[in-house]
Amino acid sequence: MLTVENLSISFRTDEGRITPVQGVGFSVAEGRTLGIVGESGSGKSVSTKALMRLLPGNAEIDTKARMRYIAKSGEEIAIETLKAGSRTLRHLRGGEIGMIFQEPMASFSPVYTIGNQIMETIRLHRGLKGRAGRDLAVAMLTKVGISNPSTRVDQYPHELSGGMRQRAMIALALSAGPRLLIADEPTTALDVTIQAQVLDLMRGLQRDLGMGMIFITHDLGVIAHVADDVAVMYLGTIVETGTAREVLKSPAHPYTRGLIKAIPRADRLDARLEAVPGDIPSPSARPAGCPFHPRCAEVIPGLCDRATPPEVVLSEGRRVRCHLHDQTRAVA
Ligand code: SF4
């Protein structure tokens, strides 16, 4: 339902132009969840905001980028060509592609009730008003597991707990009936137990409704819980893709291996967690060659710091950007 190719995004800043996303490509199939994982600053949120055309005014999408979405009607929409404020873009946001953010307080208006805000979305995207709109809003709150939904519908966002607000945010995003849901770190601000409940809820809803989902997270443990496919991002490029099962079982990229070692394990609570050493550099100071080389434990001296690693296809849908997998290098 969604194919992204050659997506590069630059920002004009006082310090010059920076390019936090370089040549990213991925696809989402109907009824599947793509997990995009990486540290803060890897470009995952910027990439998905481009899909909703929600980038700030100083951002530029490269002209080679292609973002193709197949709408409910079967029509193919070239997202990169949509004009700001156009009818198609308004329909795309919410009606076709829903979005859930990390902090629901930033998405809900504090001055309207939860119900008013859900009913407004229902009116805009489904044309239902009055009693019918309110009934659907209550039904959506029920669907996401909110207790006393006919009371909660008249409450303001600040009257709900964090977990409850995130459930209400999911209800808001789903109330327009999107085919694709983008969830940007939706459980990061929640307690661990509530996190697990919300992840289970999202996974269940995605399966019941047959939606596609893009789930952005910095936590590979969360990917194991929700994703069918995974794209690992580092400094604006995708360094590894595959099914979540394959990538977690046999990670091909040293960065993915580092992220896996950093996941706490319930069966080894006394084990020391291994962090990936160092910090992700700024996109304005991108290292030459492989951008991960200053932090990589398997760096090949004289190569990784000079040559950009090619994308190597390991099997269908399984790709990695690392010199270690480049067979032509081994032969040479
Ligand atoms: Fe490490 Fe080199 Fe592979 Fe980059 S290309 S991840 S530096 S081994």
Side-chain angles (χ1 to χ4, degrees), residues 2 4 7-9 11 45-63 65-69 77-86 88-94 97-99 101 182:
L2 174 75
V4 174
L7 177 62
S8 297
I9 303 167
F11 289 89
S45 294
V46 176
S47 304
T48 46
K49 282 202 174 112
L51 290 173
M52 302 286 266
R53 304 292 303 275
L54 285 174
L55 295 171
N58 65 339
E60 269 173 29
I61 297 177
D62 189 272
T63 51
R66 298 284 174 270
M67 296 183 278
R68 298 297 148 88
Y69 171 76
I77 299 176
I79 298 176
E80 72 279 4
T81 65
L82 296 179
K83 297 266 177 297
S86 68
T88 310
L89 184 56
R90 282 204 308 273
H91 171 65
L92 191 81
R93 288 181 185 155
I97 307 179
M99 197 149 186
F101 298 98
I182 300 175

mmCIF file of all heavy atoms in Angstrom, residues 2 4 7-9 11 45-63 65-69 77-86 88-94 97-99 101 182:
data_model
loop_
_atom_site.group_PDB
_atom_site.id
_atom_site.type_symbol
_atom_site.label_atom_id
_atom_site.label_comp_id
_atom_site.label_asym_id
_atom_site.label_seq_id
_atom_site.Cartn_x
_atom_site.Cartn_y
_atom_site.Cartn_z
ATOM 1 N N LEU A 2 2.083 1.171 0.419
ATOM 2 C CA LEU A 2 2.964 2.344 0.445
ATOM 3 C C LEU A 2 4.367 1.924 0.005
ATOM 4 O O LEU A 2 4.899 0.924 0.479
ATOM 5 C CB LEU A 2 3.045 2.912 1.872
ATOM 6 C CG LEU A 2 4.040 4.058 2.050
ATOM 7 C CD1 LEU A 2 3.495 5.353 1.464
ATOM 8 C CD2 LEU A 2 4.382 4.268 3.515
ATOM 9 N N VAL A 4 8.163 3.804 -0.631
ATOM 10 C CA VAL A 4 9.002 5.007 -0.554
ATOM 11 C C VAL A 4 10.347 4.661 -1.191
ATOM 12 O O VAL A 4 10.936 3.620 -0.888
ATOM 13 C CB VAL A 4 9.206 5.412 0.931
ATOM 14 C CG1 VAL A 4 10.187 6.567 1.041
ATOM 15 C CG2 VAL A 4 7.878 5.784 1.563
ATOM 16 N N LEU A 7 14.236 8.628 -0.735
ATOM 17 C CA LEU A 7 13.797 9.780 0.076
ATOM 18 C C LEU A 7 15.002 10.431 0.774
ATOM 19 O O LEU A 7 15.643 9.827 1.630
ATOM 20 C CB LEU A 7 12.769 9.324 1.125
ATOM 21 C CG LEU A 7 12.282 10.410 2.085
ATOM 22 C CD1 LEU A 7 11.569 11.539 1.327
ATOM 23 C CD2 LEU A 7 11.345 9.831 3.152
ATOM 24 N N SER A 8 15.306 11.644 0.340
ATOM 25 C CA SER A 8 16.344 12.445 1.010
ATOM 26 C C SER A 8 15.696 13.753 1.451
ATOM 27 O O SER A 8 14.901 14.334 0.708
ATOM 28 C CB SER A 8 17.504 12.759 0.059
ATOM 29 O OG SER A 8 18.128 11.569 -0.336
ATOM 30 N N ILE A 9 16.009 14.174 2.664
ATOM 31 C CA ILE A 9 15.402 15.402 3.206
ATOM 32 C C ILE A 9 16.513 16.289 3.748
ATOM 33 O O ILE A 9 17.372 15.830 4.517
ATOM 34 C CB ILE A 9 14.407 15.062 4.338
ATOM 35 C CG1 ILE A 9 13.325 14.106 3.816
ATOM 36 C CG2 ILE A 9 13.764 16.330 4.900
ATOM 37 C CD1 ILE A 9 12.482 13.475 4.910
ATOM 38 N N PHE A 11 17.523 20.278 5.464
ATOM 39 C CA PHE A 11 17.016 21.462 6.163
ATOM 40 C C PHE A 11 17.983 22.606 5.925
ATOM 41 O O PHE A 11 19.198 22.428 6.024
ATOM 42 C CB PHE A 11 16.921 21.199 7.672
ATOM 43 C CG PHE A 11 15.816 20.245 8.049
ATOM 44 C CD1 PHE A 11 16.038 18.887 8.095
ATOM 45 C CD2 PHE A 11 14.550 20.724 8.353
ATOM 46 C CE1 PHE A 11 15.022 18.008 8.431
ATOM 47 C CE2 PHE A 11 13.528 19.852 8.689
ATOM 48 C CZ PHE A 11 13.757 18.489 8.740
ATOM 49 N N SER A 45 11.767 9.648 12.515
ATOM 50 C CA SER A 45 10.560 10.480 12.603
ATOM 51 C C SER A 45 10.465 11.447 11.430
ATOM 52 O O SER A 45 9.379 11.650 10.868
ATOM 53 C CB SER A 45 10.552 11.303 13.897
ATOM 54 O OG SER A 45 10.441 10.448 14.989
ATOM 55 N N VAL A 46 11.599 12.025 11.039
ATOM 56 C CA VAL A 46 11.599 12.978 9.912
ATOM 57 C C VAL A 46 11.104 12.270 8.647
ATOM 58 O O VAL A 46 10.305 12.815 7.878
ATOM 59 C CB VAL A 46 13.021 13.553 9.692
ATOM 60 C CG1 VAL A 46 13.062 14.451 8.470
ATOM 61 C CG2 VAL A 46 13.479 14.322 10.908
ATOM 62 N N SER A 47 11.548 11.030 8.453
ATOM 63 C CA SER A 47 11.146 10.283 7.249
ATOM 64 C C SER A 47 9.635 10.093 7.212
ATOM 65 O O SER A 47 9.004 10.256 6.164
ATOM 66 C CB SER A 47 11.798 8.893 7.218
ATOM 67 O OG SER A 47 13.175 9.003 7.305
ATOM 68 N N THR A 48 9.049 9.731 8.346
ATOM 69 C CA THR A 48 7.612 9.453 8.316
ATOM 70 C C THR A 48 6.792 10.746 8.316
ATOM 71 O O THR A 48 5.698 10.778 7.757
ATOM 72 C CB THR A 48 7.190 8.555 9.490
ATOM 73 O OG1 THR A 48 7.770 9.042 10.671
ATOM 74 C CG2 THR A 48 7.595 7.129 9.266
ATOM 75 N N LYS A 49 7.331 11.820 8.898
ATOM 76 C CA LYS A 49 6.609 13.104 8.823
ATOM 77 C C LYS A 49 6.514 13.556 7.369
ATOM 78 O O LYS A 49 5.543 14.196 6.963
ATOM 79 C CB LYS A 49 7.308 14.162 9.668
ATOM 80 C CG LYS A 49 6.995 13.965 11.144
ATOM 81 C CD LYS A 49 7.198 15.219 11.954
ATOM 82 C CE LYS A 49 6.735 14.999 13.379
ATOM 83 N NZ LYS A 49 7.801 15.005 14.355
ATOM 84 N N ALA A 50 7.529 13.205 6.559
ATOM 85 C CA ALA A 50 7.491 13.566 5.131
ATOM 86 C C ALA A 50 6.293 12.914 4.450
ATOM 87 O O ALA A 50 5.701 13.492 3.535
ATOM 88 C CB ALA A 50 8.788 13.135 4.453
ATOM 89 N N LEU A 51 5.923 11.720 4.911
ATOM 90 C CA LEU A 51 4.776 11.019 4.311
ATOM 91 C C LEU A 51 3.476 11.782 4.518
ATOM 92 O O LEU A 51 2.558 11.687 3.718
ATOM 93 C CB LEU A 51 4.599 9.637 4.959
ATOM 94 C CG LEU A 51 5.648 8.593 4.660
ATOM 95 C CD1 LEU A 51 5.409 7.369 5.497
ATOM 96 C CD2 LEU A 51 5.568 8.251 3.186
ATOM 97 N N MET A 52 3.393 12.488 5.642
ATOM 98 C CA MET A 52 2.189 13.266 5.940
ATOM 99 C C MET A 52 2.371 14.719 5.498
ATOM 100 O O MET A 52 1.507 15.545 5.756
ATOM 101 C CB MET A 52 1.890 13.227 7.445
ATOM 102 C CG MET A 52 1.692 11.839 8.006
ATOM 103 S SD MET A 52 0.119 11.167 7.518
ATOM 104 C CE MET A 52 -0.876 11.631 8.926
ATOM 105 N N ARG A 53 3.518 15.007 4.894
ATOM 106 C CA ARG A 53 3.883 16.359 4.489
ATOM 107 C C ARG A 53 3.781 17.299 5.691
ATOM 108 O O ARG A 53 3.218 18.388 5.610
ATOM 109 C CB ARG A 53 2.997 16.835 3.329
ATOM 110 C CG ARG A 53 3.049 15.893 2.119
ATOM 111 C CD ARG A 53 4.395 15.906 1.428
ATOM 112 N NE ARG A 53 4.757 17.218 1.008
ATOM 113 C CZ ARG A 53 4.356 17.759 -0.150
ATOM 114 N NH1 ARG A 53 3.633 17.058 -0.990
ATOM 115 N NH2 ARG A 53 4.717 18.980 -0.467
ATOM 116 N N LEU A 54 4.361 16.839 6.804
ATOM 117 C CA LEU A 54 4.311 17.617 8.041
ATOM 118 C C LEU A 54 5.678 18.218 8.390
ATOM 119 O O LEU A 54 5.930 18.550 9.539
ATOM 120 C CB LEU A 54 3.860 16.705 9.211
ATOM 121 C CG LEU A 54 2.375 16.352 9.249
ATOM 122 C CD1 LEU A 54 2.100 15.333 10.347
ATOM 123 C CD2 LEU A 54 1.517 17.580 9.457
ATOM 124 N N LEU A 55 6.556 18.338 7.399
ATOM 125 C CA LEU A 55 7.885 18.878 7.688
ATOM 126 C C LEU A 55 7.821 20.400 7.814
ATOM 127 O O LEU A 55 6.966 21.042 7.193
ATOM 128 C CB LEU A 55 8.845 18.489 6.557
ATOM 129 C CG LEU A 55 9.108 16.981 6.419
ATOM 130 C CD1 LEU A 55 9.893 16.696 5.148
ATOM 131 C CD2 LEU A 55 9.859 16.458 7.625
ATOM 132 N N PRO A 56 8.728 20.998 8.604
ATOM 133 C CA PRO A 56 8.711 22.458 8.744
ATOM 134 C C PRO A 56 9.101 23.163 7.443
ATOM 135 O O PRO A 56 9.586 22.533 6.497
ATOM 136 C CB PRO A 56 9.754 22.718 9.843
ATOM 137 C CG PRO A 56 10.587 21.484 9.916
ATOM 138 C CD PRO A 56 9.755 20.353 9.426
ATOM 139 N N GLY A 57 8.888 24.470 7.402
ATOM 140 C CA GLY A 57 9.069 25.258 6.179
ATOM 141 C C GLY A 57 10.488 25.262 5.651
ATOM 142 O O GLY A 57 10.694 25.491 4.450
ATOM 143 N N ASN A 58 11.497 25.022 6.509
ATOM 144 C CA ASN A 58 12.889 25.052 6.017
ATOM 145 C C ASN A 58 13.352 23.697 5.497
ATOM 146 O O ASN A 58 14.533 23.497 5.235
ATOM 147 C CB ASN A 58 13.838 25.547 7.115
ATOM 148 C CG ASN A 58 13.894 24.595 8.304
ATOM 149 O OD1 ASN A 58 12.978 23.792 8.515
ATOM 150 N ND2 ASN A 58 14.956 24.675 9.083
ATOM 151 N N ALA A 59 12.402 22.740 5.390
ATOM 152 C CA ALA A 59 12.776 21.397 4.911
ATOM 153 C C ALA A 59 12.550 21.291 3.410
ATOM 154 O O ALA A 59 11.633 21.910 2.871
ATOM 155 C CB ALA A 59 11.932 20.345 5.624
ATOM 156 N N GLU A 60 13.409 20.504 2.761
ATOM 157 C CA GLU A 60 13.244 20.249 1.318
ATOM 158 C C GLU A 60 13.353 18.763 1.063
ATOM 159 O O GLU A 60 14.295 18.122 1.534
ATOM 160 C CB GLU A 60 14.367 20.936 0.531
ATOM 161 C CG GLU A 60 14.024 22.323 0.100
ATOM 162 C CD GLU A 60 15.220 23.017 -0.523
ATOM 163 O OE1 GLU A 60 16.086 22.340 -1.103
ATOM 164 O OE2 GLU A 60 15.279 24.251 -0.388
ATOM 165 N N ILE A 61 12.367 18.234 0.310
ATOM 166 C CA ILE A 61 12.423 16.829 -0.091
ATOM 167 C C ILE A 61 13.097 16.776 -1.453
ATOM 168 O O ILE A 61 12.727 17.533 -2.364
ATOM 169 C CB ILE A 61 11.003 16.229 -0.158
ATOM 170 C CG1 ILE A 61 10.367 16.255 1.241
ATOM 171 C CG2 ILE A 61 11.035 14.804 -0.708
ATOM 172 C CD1 ILE A 61 8.932 15.748 1.282
ATOM 173 N N ASP A 62 14.108 15.923 -1.593
ATOM 174 C CA ASP A 62 14.839 15.824 -2.851
ATOM 175 C C ASP A 62 13.902 15.449 -4.000
ATOM 176 O O ASP A 62 12.959 14.674 -3.811
ATOM 177 C CB ASP A 62 15.938 14.756 -2.708
ATOM 178 C CG ASP A 62 16.870 14.740 -3.896
ATOM 179 O OD1 ASP A 62 16.561 14.026 -4.884
ATOM 180 O OD2 ASP A 62 17.877 15.455 -3.851
ATOM 181 N N THR A 63 14.169 16.002 -5.178
ATOM 182 C CA THR A 63 13.266 15.778 -6.310
ATOM 183 C C THR A 63 13.256 14.319 -6.789
ATOM 184 O O THR A 63 12.352 13.909 -7.502
ATOM 185 C CB THR A 63 13.651 16.677 -7.503
ATOM 186 O OG1 THR A 63 15.045 16.501 -7.747
ATOM 187 C CG2 THR A 63 13.375 18.141 -7.212
ATOM 188 N N ALA A 65 12.894 11.825 -4.836
ATOM 189 C CA ALA A 65 12.095 11.015 -3.894
ATOM 190 C C ALA A 65 10.762 10.608 -4.521
ATOM 191 O O ALA A 65 10.126 11.383 -5.226
ATOM 192 C CB ALA A 65 11.843 11.819 -2.620
ATOM 193 N N ARG A 66 10.363 9.380 -4.254
ATOM 194 C CA ARG A 66 9.046 8.871 -4.687
ATOM 195 C C ARG A 66 8.341 8.286 -3.468
ATOM 196 O O ARG A 66 8.891 7.414 -2.798
ATOM 197 C CB ARG A 66 9.191 7.761 -5.742
ATOM 198 C CG ARG A 66 9.859 8.212 -7.019
ATOM 199 C CD ARG A 66 8.897 9.030 -7.899
ATOM 200 N NE ARG A 66 9.585 9.567 -9.057
ATOM 201 C CZ ARG A 66 10.198 10.744 -9.100
ATOM 202 N NH1 ARG A 66 10.211 11.531 -8.044
ATOM 203 N NH2 ARG A 66 10.797 11.153 -10.200
ATOM 204 N N MET A 67 7.130 8.792 -3.200
ATOM 205 C CA MET A 67 6.330 8.260 -2.081
ATOM 206 C C MET A 67 4.962 7.933 -2.658
ATOM 207 O O MET A 67 4.162 8.832 -2.904
ATOM 208 C CB MET A 67 6.214 9.306 -0.967
ATOM 209 C CG MET A 67 7.548 9.650 -0.325
ATOM 210 S SD MET A 67 7.394 10.810 1.049
ATOM 211 C CE MET A 67 7.300 12.365 0.191
ATOM 212 N N ARG A 68 4.713 6.661 -2.937
ATOM 213 C CA ARG A 68 3.475 6.251 -3.606
ATOM 214 C C ARG A 68 2.579 5.485 -2.643
ATOM 215 O O ARG A 68 3.019 4.516 -2.011
ATOM 216 C CB ARG A 68 3.793 5.379 -4.834
ATOM 217 C CG ARG A 68 4.602 6.130 -5.871
ATOM 218 C CD ARG A 68 3.819 7.314 -6.421
ATOM 219 N NE ARG A 68 4.647 8.427 -6.801
ATOM 220 C CZ ARG A 68 5.202 8.604 -7.987
ATOM 221 N NH1 ARG A 68 5.014 7.723 -8.926
ATOM 222 N NH2 ARG A 68 5.930 9.666 -8.232
ATOM 223 N N TYR A 69 1.337 5.958 -2.548
ATOM 224 C CA TYR A 69 0.377 5.348 -1.627
ATOM 225 C C TYR A 69 -0.860 4.938 -2.420
ATOM 226 O O TYR A 69 -1.366 5.708 -3.236
ATOM 227 C CB TYR A 69 0.008 6.371 -0.534
ATOM 228 C CG TYR A 69 -1.127 5.919 0.336
ATOM 229 C CD1 TYR A 69 -0.927 4.963 1.321
ATOM 230 C CD2 TYR A 69 -2.413 6.434 0.158
ATOM 231 C CE1 TYR A 69 -1.987 4.515 2.107
ATOM 232 C CE2 TYR A 69 -3.471 6.006 0.939
ATOM 233 C CZ TYR A 69 -3.247 5.053 1.916
ATOM 234 O OH TYR A 69 -4.296 4.613 2.684
ATOM 235 N N ILE A 77 -1.598 7.599 -5.174
ATOM 236 C CA ILE A 77 -1.327 9.006 -4.857
ATOM 237 C C ILE A 77 0.189 9.208 -4.779
ATOM 238 O O ILE A 77 0.878 8.491 -4.046
ATOM 239 C CB ILE A 77 -1.967 9.403 -3.504
ATOM 240 C CG1 ILE A 77 -3.491 9.226 -3.575
ATOM 241 C CG2 ILE A 77 -1.615 10.843 -3.119
ATOM 242 C CD1 ILE A 77 -4.211 9.499 -2.268
ATOM 243 N N ALA A 78 0.688 10.175 -5.554
ATOM 244 C CA ALA A 78 2.108 10.533 -5.492
ATOM 245 C C ALA A 78 2.241 11.607 -4.406
ATOM 246 O O ALA A 78 2.024 12.796 -4.661
ATOM 247 C CB ALA A 78 2.575 11.041 -6.845
ATOM 248 N N ILE A 79 2.557 11.179 -3.196
ATOM 249 C CA ILE A 79 2.535 12.097 -2.041
ATOM 250 C C ILE A 79 3.477 13.276 -2.254
ATOM 251 O O ILE A 79 3.179 14.411 -1.878
ATOM 252 C CB ILE A 79 2.901 11.344 -0.739
ATOM 253 C CG1 ILE A 79 1.864 10.245 -0.461
ATOM 254 C CG2 ILE A 79 3.008 12.294 0.443
ATOM 255 C CD1 ILE A 79 2.178 9.373 0.744
ATOM 256 N N GLU A 80 4.626 13.014 -2.912
ATOM 257 C CA GLU A 80 5.628 14.081 -3.056
ATOM 258 C C GLU A 80 5.137 15.222 -3.932
ATOM 259 O O GLU A 80 5.699 16.319 -3.891
ATOM 260 C CB GLU A 80 6.960 13.502 -3.584
ATOM 261 C CG GLU A 80 6.976 13.064 -5.041
ATOM 262 C CD GLU A 80 6.359 11.679 -5.278
ATOM 263 O OE1 GLU A 80 5.842 11.079 -4.335
ATOM 264 O OE2 GLU A 80 6.389 11.225 -6.441
ATOM 265 N N THR A 81 4.059 14.991 -4.712
ATOM 266 C CA THR A 81 3.584 16.055 -5.612
ATOM 267 C C THR A 81 2.421 16.852 -5.010
ATOM 268 O O THR A 81 1.978 17.828 -5.604
ATOM 269 C CB THR A 81 3.090 15.461 -6.949
ATOM 270 O OG1 THR A 81 1.938 14.644 -6.675
ATOM 271 C CG2 THR A 81 4.154 14.630 -7.640
ATOM 272 N N LEU A 82 1.910 16.429 -3.851
ATOM 273 C CA LEU A 82 0.706 17.083 -3.306
ATOM 274 C C LEU A 82 1.011 18.499 -2.843
ATOM 275 O O LEU A 82 2.032 18.760 -2.203
ATOM 276 C CB LEU A 82 0.141 16.264 -2.128
ATOM 277 C CG LEU A 82 -0.362 14.863 -2.460
ATOM 278 C CD1 LEU A 82 -0.873 14.175 -1.204
ATOM 279 C CD2 LEU A 82 -1.456 14.920 -3.519
ATOM 280 N N LYS A 83 0.094 19.402 -3.150
ATOM 281 C CA LYS A 83 0.258 20.803 -2.744
ATOM 282 C C LYS A 83 -0.249 20.980 -1.318
ATOM 283 O O LYS A 83 -1.246 20.348 -0.929
ATOM 284 C CB LYS A 83 -0.576 21.718 -3.651
ATOM 285 C CG LYS A 83 -0.140 21.681 -5.097
ATOM 286 C CD LYS A 83 0.833 22.804 -5.381
ATOM 287 C CE LYS A 83 1.380 22.790 -6.785
ATOM 288 N NZ LYS A 83 2.170 21.645 -7.199
ATOM 289 N N ALA A 84 0.439 21.845 -0.540
ATOM 290 C CA ALA A 84 -0.011 22.140 0.820
ATOM 291 C C ALA A 84 -1.447 22.655 0.766
ATOM 292 O O ALA A 84 -1.779 23.479 -0.091
ATOM 293 C CB ALA A 84 0.910 23.194 1.439
ATOM 294 N N GLY A 85 -2.308 22.144 1.632
ATOM 295 C CA GLY A 85 -3.693 22.618 1.700
ATOM 296 C C GLY A 85 -4.605 21.992 0.659
ATOM 297 O O GLY A 85 -5.797 22.312 0.610
ATOM 298 N N SER A 86 -4.059 21.106 -0.203
ATOM 299 C CA SER A 86 -4.920 20.513 -1.240
ATOM 300 C C SER A 86 -5.918 19.547 -0.608
ATOM 301 O O SER A 86 -5.700 19.028 0.484
ATOM 302 C CB SER A 86 -4.074 19.792 -2.295
ATOM 303 O OG SER A 86 -3.470 18.656 -1.711
ATOM 304 N N THR A 88 -6.692 16.541 -1.594
ATOM 305 C CA THR A 88 -6.145 15.178 -1.495
ATOM 306 C C THR A 88 -5.278 15.055 -0.245
ATOM 307 O O THR A 88 -5.341 14.049 0.466
ATOM 308 C CB THR A 88 -5.309 14.836 -2.757
ATOM 309 O OG1 THR A 88 -6.088 15.149 -3.887
ATOM 310 C CG2 THR A 88 -4.923 13.380 -2.781
ATOM 311 N N LEU A 89 -4.474 16.092 0.021
ATOM 312 C CA LEU A 89 -3.604 16.018 1.201
ATOM 313 C C LEU A 89 -4.432 16.014 2.486
ATOM 314 O O LEU A 89 -4.143 15.254 3.421
ATOM 315 C CB LEU A 89 -2.615 17.198 1.205
ATOM 316 C CG LEU A 89 -1.586 17.195 2.341
ATOM 317 C CD1 LEU A 89 -0.782 15.907 2.370
ATOM 318 C CD2 LEU A 89 -0.631 18.384 2.221
ATOM 319 N N ARG A 90 -5.504 16.810 2.506
ATOM 320 C CA ARG A 90 -6.368 16.844 3.709
ATOM 321 C C ARG A 90 -7.022 15.480 3.915
ATOM 322 O O ARG A 90 -7.139 14.995 5.031
ATOM 323 C CB ARG A 90 -7.451 17.917 3.556
ATOM 324 C CG ARG A 90 -6.934 19.324 3.816
ATOM 325 C CD ARG A 90 -8.059 20.264 4.242
ATOM 326 N NE ARG A 90 -9.188 20.241 3.346
ATOM 327 C CZ ARG A 90 -9.302 20.990 2.248
ATOM 328 N NH1 ARG A 90 -8.354 21.838 1.928
ATOM 329 N NH2 ARG A 90 -10.367 20.911 1.486
ATOM 330 N N HIS A 91 -7.430 14.841 2.806
ATOM 331 C CA HIS A 91 -8.053 13.519 2.896
ATOM 332 C C HIS A 91 -7.021 12.467 3.334
ATOM 333 O O HIS A 91 -7.316 11.568 4.125
ATOM 334 C CB HIS A 91 -8.657 13.145 1.537
ATOM 335 C CG HIS A 91 -9.119 11.731 1.464
ATOM 336 N ND1 HIS A 91 -10.157 11.246 2.230
ATOM 337 C CD2 HIS A 91 -8.652 10.665 0.753
ATOM 338 C CE1 HIS A 91 -10.314 9.945 1.979
ATOM 339 N NE2 HIS A 91 -9.413 9.581 1.098
ATOM 340 N N LEU A 92 -5.798 12.619 2.807
ATOM 341 C CA LEU A 92 -4.733 11.660 3.145
ATOM 342 C C LEU A 92 -4.446 11.677 4.641
ATOM 343 O O LEU A 92 -4.321 10.624 5.276
ATOM 344 C CB LEU A 92 -3.467 12.036 2.368
ATOM 345 C CG LEU A 92 -2.345 11.011 2.397
ATOM 346 C CD1 LEU A 92 -2.615 9.917 1.373
ATOM 347 C CD2 LEU A 92 -1.012 11.669 2.072
ATOM 348 N N ARG A 93 -4.341 12.897 5.202
ATOM 349 C CA ARG A 93 -4.042 13.021 6.639
ATOM 350 C C ARG A 93 -5.269 12.623 7.441
ATOM 351 O O ARG A 93 -6.272 13.324 7.436
ATOM 352 C CB ARG A 93 -3.687 14.469 6.985
ATOM 353 C CG ARG A 93 -2.354 14.897 6.473
ATOM 354 C CD ARG A 93 -2.128 16.330 6.899
ATOM 355 N NE ARG A 93 -0.904 16.867 6.339
ATOM 356 C CZ ARG A 93 -0.687 18.152 6.145
ATOM 357 N NH1 ARG A 93 -1.623 19.035 6.457
ATOM 358 N NH2 ARG A 93 0.448 18.565 5.655
ATOM 359 N N GLY A 94 -5.194 11.570 8.120
ATOM 360 C CA GLY A 94 -6.306 11.140 8.958
ATOM 361 C C GLY A 94 -7.191 10.148 8.254
ATOM 362 O O GLY A 94 -7.336 9.017 8.696
ATOM 363 N N ILE A 97 -4.253 7.970 6.154
ATOM 364 C CA ILE A 97 -3.101 7.654 7.016
ATOM 365 C C ILE A 97 -3.304 8.351 8.369
ATOM 366 O O ILE A 97 -3.418 9.576 8.427
ATOM 367 C CB ILE A 97 -1.771 8.142 6.383
ATOM 368 C CG1 ILE A 97 -1.627 7.592 4.952
ATOM 369 C CG2 ILE A 97 -0.590 7.717 7.237
ATOM 370 C CD1 ILE A 97 -0.359 8.026 4.229
ATOM 371 N N GLY A 98 -3.401 7.571 9.425
ATOM 372 C CA GLY A 98 -3.554 8.127 10.770
ATOM 373 C C GLY A 98 -2.199 8.193 11.448
ATOM 374 O O GLY A 98 -1.270 7.469 11.079
ATOM 375 N N MET A 99 -2.069 9.079 12.435
ATOM 376 C CA MET A 99 -0.776 9.203 13.112
ATOM 377 C C MET A 99 -0.962 9.289 14.617
ATOM 378 O O MET A 99 -1.868 9.982 15.091
ATOM 379 C CB MET A 99 -0.056 10.436 12.580
ATOM 380 C CG MET A 99 1.408 10.422 12.909
ATOM 381 S SD MET A 99 2.402 11.262 11.653
ATOM 382 C CE MET A 99 4.039 10.897 12.267
ATOM 383 N N PHE A 101 1.314 10.050 18.156
ATOM 384 C CA PHE A 101 2.600 10.573 18.596
ATOM 385 C C PHE A 101 2.931 10.094 20.007
ATOM 386 O O PHE A 101 2.086 9.538 20.717
ATOM 387 C CB PHE A 101 2.600 12.101 18.568
ATOM 388 C CG PHE A 101 2.387 12.650 17.189
ATOM 389 C CD1 PHE A 101 1.137 13.077 16.780
ATOM 390 C CD2 PHE A 101 3.431 12.723 16.293
ATOM 391 C CE1 PHE A 101 0.925 13.560 15.506
ATOM 392 C CE2 PHE A 101 3.238 13.209 15.014
ATOM 393 C CZ PHE A 101 1.979 13.636 14.626
ATOM 394 N N ILE A 182 0.550 5.421 11.374
ATOM 395 C CA ILE A 182 1.949 5.681 11.721
ATOM 396 C C ILE A 182 1.992 5.960 13.215
ATOM 397 O O ILE A 182 1.320 6.878 13.694
ATOM 398 C CB ILE A 182 2.512 6.893 10.949
ATOM 399 C CG1 ILE A 182 2.446 6.635 9.438
ATOM 400 C CG2 ILE A 182 3.943 7.178 11.378
ATOM 401 C CD1 ILE A 182 2.865 7.827 8.592
#
